[in-house]
Amino acid sequence: MKKRYYLLILSFAVLLSSKAQSNAQAAVDSLYLLQIEQTMDSLERVKRVVEEVRRYEDRLLREEQRFHFSDNTLLLRGLIQTATNHSFIKNESRFRQTDFNLQDYAVAGLPLFSAWTLKVAGVESRSKFRRMFIANAIATGLTIGSVEALKQLVSEDRPNGRNSHSFPSGHSAIAYMGAAILDREFGHHSPWISVGGYAAATATEWLRLRHNEHYVNDIFTGAGIGLVATNLAYFLTDCIYGEEEINRPQLYRSDIIRLGRFLDRPISLSLMAGSEITSKHLTVDGIDLCTSSVYMAGLQYSYFFHPHWAVDAEARISTVQVKPDLSTGALRNADIVANTLSQYHFNLGFRYSLPIGLNTRFAFRVFGGEVYTKRTEFTLNTPSSSSSSSSSSSSSSSSSSPLLTIPHAWHPEVGAGLSVDFYDTRKYVTGFSLDYLHHFSGIFPDRCLFSSYWKILL
């Protein structure tokens, strides 16, 4: 009896032990299945991410092959200013001649030289060699051909009267052609490469104005021709070869970080270039002056201490060509040397910026600061005769005498404006701004600034 009791207890113990083992095994199996399920979910998420990356890279490839219309606003701006500058260009006053063609060509050719230097050095470009060579050759041919054809057709005198090849600016066309090539080929490495190329192109425009070789409409039109020719050249090349000559674009971690900065706090450094809309007439010391359109370029730093609020610091230069009005008054048909007036602006301001969707930000800003007007002189050429005691003949020459001086001065200024930023597939952010500026002096007291900019997110 006792033996049976012990066997029953032993059987019950074995049964409990096997049931515990079964429960433990079931728990292990459930945990293993859960781990498999989590792994499959992770793989599915990774697969979806890979597919999204692939779609984005396909979009980059399509973007690379399409014709870029957004870069061609400079051409439209140049053509508009050509119409509005007509009366100023017809004024008979002439600027002094300078001899800086070699230096100007060096600055203008720097972006294209940099692009081919990087290519020869082995830095990966967006194009394989055949695409880059053919597209660059077509762009150069279209740019130079269009510029030379227009020079011969329009036959506009240069500001300094050296020849009649002013419109459009060949230097500006070459500079912007090179900047566009540098941007397209190597801009995916760093925004500093692209913006550096456009900085050299902007410097070329300013130098051609300062050296009295072109009017403002000449440089904008030339810049537009360079951009249109480059975009058209790459488009035509891709129509021939398709994707096979393109090194496939890739999505980098820096692109995701850049989007986050754009949507959160887009602290940035911007290169600006544009023009000022203001009165084209001045009266100084009773003398009437007429002016061209105003060219403007500068740098702006924006620090966002909040996703919507920022502090701006800005430095820019505005350059305008000035001629005395010879159509009326005592100076009718006088021989007066025209000059270029430059003003340097230093401003601080506040900006409210609001993101709209994933790729656009609208901003309103107010600013104020000081403007320095550079001393500018105008001289009158007057004929003079000199005689020699050894000869009865006389020779006539001309001498210059001061006519008018605009003194250097500091004046306060305030302004407000709107801007819009566009985030796209490039490494930098592009945008446009329209500002109203009031200057507390008699030199263009009221003006509107229209500028485009290339913005590096820091």
Side-chain angles (χ1 to χ4, degrees), residues 68-77 220 227 262 270-275 296 300 314 351 353 359-365 416-424 426 428-435 449-455:
H68 294 175
F69 289 96
S70 60
D71 293 333
N72 306 324
T73 57
L74 282 175
L75 180 59
L76 178 61
R77 193 182 306 177
F220 279 129
L227 291 175
F262 179 77
S270 303
L271 169 68
M272 305 180 299
S275 56
M296 183 274 294
Q300 182 185 88
E314 180 181 284
R351 174 187 302 268
S353 179
N359 61 352
T360 307
R361 290 187 78 108
F362 286 96
F364 170 79
R365 72 178 186 126
L418 300 170
S419 65
V420 56
D421 295 349
F422 300 103
Y423 174 92
D424 55 19
R426 298 172 176 175
Y428 54 89
V429 174
T430 58
F432 300 93
S433 64
L434 180 63
D435 300 305
L449 285 65
F450 179 77
S451 61
S452 55
Y453 50 82
W454 302 269
K455 179 177 292 189

Side-chain angles (χ1 to χ4, degrees), residues 183-377:
D183 175 29
R184 294 190 68 137
E185 295 293 349
F186 299 99
H188 60 283
H189 291 290
S190 170
W192 293 97
I193 294 177
S194 299
V195 178
Y198 286 115
T202 302
T204 301
E205 292 179 312
W206 185 79
L207 288 173
R208 297 307 281 170
L209 285 179
R210 291 292 299 166
H211 295 159
N212 302 327
E213 292 290 340
H214 290 287
Y215 296 105
V216 176
N217 58 290
D218 301 337
I219 62 174
F220 279 129
T221 305
I225 289 173
L227 291 175
V228 172
T230 303
N231 290 331
L232 182 58
Y234 275 89
F235 177 75
L236 294 175
T237 304
D238 291 338
C239 287
I240 299 172
Y241 294 108
E243 313 178 358
E244 63 181 67
E245 292 297 320
I246 302 175
N247 292 317
R248 183 178 175 84
Q250 295 181 0
L251 176 65
Y252 295 95
R253 180 172 176 266
S254 59
D255 296 323
I256 301 174
I257 295 175
R258 183 168 62 96
L259 176 59
R261 288 174 179 169
F262 179 77
L263 295 175
D264 183 23
R265 299 186 182 186
I267 300 172
S268 61
L269 179 67
S270 303
L271 169 68
M272 305 180 299
S275 56
E276 298 180 359
I277 304 170
T278 183
S279 171
K280 293 192 175 183
H281 294 278
L282 289 174
T283 301
V284 180
D285 294 341
I287 297 178
D288 292 331
L289 305 172
C290 56
T291 72
S292 69
S293 300
V294 184
Y295 178 78
M296 183 274 294
L299 295 173
Q300 182 185 88
Y301 174 75
S302 297
Y303 177 77
F304 279 78
F305 56 89
H306 181 274
H308 300 311
W309 292 96
V311 177
D312 291 341
E314 180 181 284
R316 56 187 177 83
I317 180 174
S318 57
T319 300
V320 60
Q321 294 164 317
V322 183
K323 294 180 178 181
D325 189 351
L326 306 182
S327 61
T328 60
L331 297 178
R332 181 190 294 268
N333 301 323
D335 185 10
I336 299 176
V337 179
N339 211 337
T340 302
L341 173 66
S342 294
Q343 293 182 305
Y344 302 88
H345 305 258
F346 305 93
N347 293 315
L348 292 175
F350 288 95
R351 174 187 302 268
Y352 178 78
S353 179
L354 181 67
I356 306 296
L358 290 177
N359 61 352
T360 307
R361 290 187 78 108
F362 286 96
F364 170 79
R365 72 178 186 126
V366 293
F367 58 92
E370 291 282 321
V371 56
Y372 173 74
T373 302
K374 186 179 179 181
R375 176 187 173 93
T376 306
E377 295 182 346

